[in-house]
Amino acid sequence: MLTPITRGVETGQAAKPAWPSMKMRPAAFDPPTCSSEAEGRGGGETAGSKKIRFAEAVEATATSDTTAPDRSQVRSQKGRTTHGYHKILNVTMSCVLVAGDGDEACANCGKQGSDTVKLRKCTACRLVKYCGVDCQRAHRKQHKKACKQRVAELKDEQLYSQGHERQEGDFCPICALPILFPRVDHSFFKACCMKRICRGCSLAARKRGMFNCPFCRAPLPGDDADALAMVQARVAKKDPEAINFLGEKYCEGDFGLEKDRRKAVELWTEAAELGSIEAIFNLGVAYYYGDGVQEDNAKGIEFWSKAAMQGHVVSRHSLGNHEGRKGNYDRALRHYLVSAKMGYEESVEMIKMMFMDGIATKEHYAEALRGHQDAVEEMKSHDRDEAKRLGY
Ligand SMILES: [Zn+2]
Ligand SMILES: [Zn+2]
Ligand SMILES: [Zn+2]
Ligand SMILES: [Zn+2]
């Protein structure tokens, strides 16, 4: 059942470090691995090799320094509207106040907030306040850049800080432990209940003489048609995981279905709307690579980001690959560190290569190794060890 993982490694032009690039595929792209039990398959861990494309020099973008609203502009604006020494003095004093306690004055006219003047924040960036829509409108042009930058920063803060815990579907519902990667090698995905049962629990059930599904007790499907009927029954009840699973089957033409990538994308879209994180990941792959849908990198990234923030590890790793291809090594590293610590070995490998290429430090690599090891330890159990020992 081992799925071969190939890694495309290619060296860029002499001056550039080698960047290993992997094309992550959803489960649907795996070669059929269904056993006679029609257990269905695991996750999207398989990587096929992909030619490396170093992005053209990425335009240097402003980095993460927080941009405070430009006080000097506030001042000059006020300067224009006031006359006379006292007023200027006044304004100057008010400017000092503005600078010292920026939250309490309108960013455009400098009016202080009070019982009568209610200041409202720019809802996008929450950096500046205005006394009213007129001031907000008047200030829009000079605020736009700082606003946009802050919005991007806020988005990044969420992207990197959320989703450090494995998604619910990654846990075996019987022993409640997260499943090792690649999930397909360490679990059986059940068509009857759409649960991923770890091999330890599956083996333990068999040893007790239980051959039905150890989670829902349904008898095992006799063949692909049986399994498909089970899935269809759940699809009819709008089970998001069943809809996602059916999409994967259409994508690869499994279970006797004719291969239909468009249909797969349709199903994933529906499943994603109903809350399947796996479907969000699959949509990311479909859009990023243009499989069954018009290629749209940005949309692919959006989907992966959404899934990664909900604990989808392969999405997190895919984001790392994307940033690496673009030459955004800092961002790539941040993503890989998260997925490495969630037990994804490929991410550790990437960080190792970055370290060897001099774009990550030894400390980063050590941190990734340690984090990964801890995650793996947490996924161990007596039953799992035994399943592994027996090659079950
Ligand atoms: Zn104002
Ligand atoms: Zn703003
Ligand atoms: Zn288990
Ligand atoms: Zn079941």
Side-chain angles (χ1 to χ4, degrees):
M1 293 280 287
L2 274 174
T3 320
I5 295 183
T6 43
R7 185 176 304 121
V9 181
E10 198 176 292
T11 313
Q13 287 150 12
K16 291 176 179 169
W19 185 259
S21 167
M22 292 186 295
K23 180 172 180 175
M24 305 311 302
R25 312 308 309 247
F29 291 88
D30 298 356
T33 54
C34 297
S35 66
S36 53
E37 307 170 0
E39 295 252 33
R41 288 213 318 272
E45 293 77 30
T46 355
S49 61
K50 188 173 192 280
K51 283 267 179 194
I52 297 154
R53 282 184 317 225
F54 266 102
E56 299 95 59
V58 187
E59 190 191 313
T61 46
T63 43
S64 59
D65 294 321
T66 306
T67 316
D70 192 343
R71 299 292 170 209
S72 62
Q73 301 209 25
V74 172
R75 202 174 299 135
S76 67
Q77 183 103 6
K78 278 184 285 189
R80 276 203 299 278
T81 53
T82 49
H83 308 278
Y85 178 73
H86 290 287
K87 282 200 171 167
I88 289 169
L89 190 68
N90 233 339
V91 167
T92 310
M93 284 166 69
S94 140
C95 274
V96 172
L97 278 174
V98 172
D101 195 3
D103 282 350
E104 297 313 315
C106 173
N108 187 54
C109 67
K111 209 181 275 173
Q112 303 288 305
S114 67
D115 287 345
T116 47
V117 181
K118 291 270 177 256
L119 298 177
R120 281 181 303 176
K121 270 184 185 168
C122 168
T123 48
C125 65
R126 314 196 75 80
L127 274 180
V128 291
K129 287 183 174 181
Y130 297 106
C131 65
V133 284
D134 288 343
C135 270
Q136 183 177 23
R137 205 170 293 141
H139 197 243
R140 186 166 291 154
K141 210 173 161 193
Q142 71 189 74
H143 173 58
K144 218 166 101 184
K145 199 177 159 201
C147 189
K148 229 173 133 182
Q149 191 175 335
R150 183 62 190 146
V151 167
E153 284 166 14
L154 289 171
K155 221 174 137 189
D156 269 1
E157 275 169 27
Q158 286 186 326
L159 176 61
Y160 291 109
S161 68
Q162 293 179 5
H164 290 209
E165 299 292 327
R166 300 274 297 270
Q167 57 162 332
E168 198 192 322
D170 279 357
F171 289 79
C172 169
I174 297 173
C175 65
L177 288 173
I179 289 160
L180 280 148
F181 291 106
R183 291 173 301 181
V184 68
D185 291 344
H186 297 277
S187 65
F188 295 112
F189 192 76
K190 310 298 270 185
C192 42
C193 51
M194 294 291 135
K195 296 288 182 200
R196 197 183 290 282
I197 314 288
C198 82
R199 296 204 178 193
C201 289
S202 181
L203 177 65
R206 293 204 160 199
K207 280 169 69 184
R208 290 195 307 270
M210 158 118 85
F211 288 86
N212 288 353
C213 169
F215 182 73
C216 74
R217 323 245 153 188
L220 293 170
D223 54 19
D224 276 2
D226 264 9
L228 183 60
M230 278 179 165
V231 178
Q232 298 276 23
R234 298 189 74 90
V235 168
K237 288 182 185 160
K238 299 280 171 208
D239 175 340
E241 294 317 322
I243 299 169
N244 170 64
F245 187 75
L246 187 61
E248 292 178 356
K249 297 296 145 193
Y250 268 109
C251 187
E252 69 182 2
D254 200 6
F255 277 15
L257 295 166
E258 196 165 324
K259 203 180 264 191
D260 189 341
R261 296 270 165 98
R262 279 177 187 281
K263 174 90 179 162
V265 172
E266 256 171 49
L267 288 163
W268 289 334
T269 305
E270 187 187 353
E273 277 163 11
L274 292 169
S276 166
I277 299 170
E278 217 64 57
I280 299 173
F281 164 72
N282 281 328
L283 283 175
V285 177
Y287 278 96
Y288 194 81
Y289 295 107
D291 269 329
V293 73
Q294 178 75 36
E295 184 177 313
D296 187 339
N297 271 210
K299 212 164 172 184
I301 294 307
E302 227 174 89
F303 281 122
W304 280 340
S305 300
K306 202 174 165 195
M309 286 192 284
Q310 294 177 79
H312 194 278
V313 182
V314 187
S315 292
R316 178 69 68 183
H317 180 82
S318 304
L319 289 174
N321 287 348
H322 166 74
E323 295 293 355
R325 269 179 222 125
K326 278 174 48 181
N328 298 333
Y329 301 130
D330 279 2
R331 297 176 71 87
L333 184 63
R334 287 177 80 182
H335 284 304
Y336 289 146
L337 275 171
V338 174
S339 39
K341 290 175 188 174
M342 290 169 89
Y344 203 60
E345 200 178 349
E346 297 291 336
S347 302
V348 181
E349 286 300 309
M350 291 305 230
I351 293 172
K352 182 182 176 182
M353 284 181 232
M354 291 174 87
F355 163 55
M356 294 189 312
D357 287 342
I359 44 181
T361 65
K362 194 172 167 181
E363 286 70 32
H364 288 135
Y365 178 40
E367 185 184 343
L369 267 180
R370 209 168 37 238
H372 177 263
Q373 194 51 44
D374 289 349
V376 169
E377 283 301 321
E378 277 171 29
M379 288 187 261
K380 283 188 175 160
S381 76
H382 171 78
D383 287 339
R384 289 180 178 189
D385 286 345
E386 189 170 16
K388 190 180 170 189
R389 197 161 42 79
L390 297 174
Y392 174 73

